[in-house]
Amino acid sequence: VGYSVLDIVEAYKKNNNVDVPYKIAPRRDGDIAECFADPTKAKELLNWSAKYNLDDMVKSAYNFIKKNK
């Protein structure tokens, strides 16, 4: 599943009840337009697969930041 930066910002705001200020600006020199990863090899070699969704991840990240200021 792919997510845009704005998808992540909105999930962070929704799941943590916080404001996340941001500014949309032109792409910087060297910024890539898209980035994809295929986890198939991790599953085959390491028997690893993601078990959390975006909502779980942003909640966990926020809780970590709160606990480790």
Side-chain angles (χ1 to χ4, degrees):
V1 175
Y3 298 103
S4 71
V5 173
L6 287 177
D7 290 334
I8 296 168
V9 168
E10 289 304 318
Y12 204 90
K13 289 166 58 173
K14 177 185 80 172
N15 287 285
N16 298 305
N17 298 313
V18 295
D19 186 35
V20 180
Y22 63 90
K23 177 174 71 171
I24 297 178
R27 186 176 297 139
R28 301 166 297 185
D29 288 343
D31 283 350
I32 58 175
E34 296 176 327
C35 179
F36 298 92
D38 180 356
T40 303
K41 195 167 189 175
K43 179 64 175 169
E44 292 170 354
L45 295 177
L46 305 171
N47 197 32
W48 178 90
S49 60
K51 57 183 174 181
Y52 301 107
N53 62 29
L54 181 59
D55 291 335
D56 295 329
M57 289 185 281
V58 297
K59 285 184 224 174
S60 177
Y62 185 66
N63 285 330
F64 178 84
I65 290 167
K66 286 192 321 186
K67 291 178 183 175
N68 295 284
K69 284 188 175 188

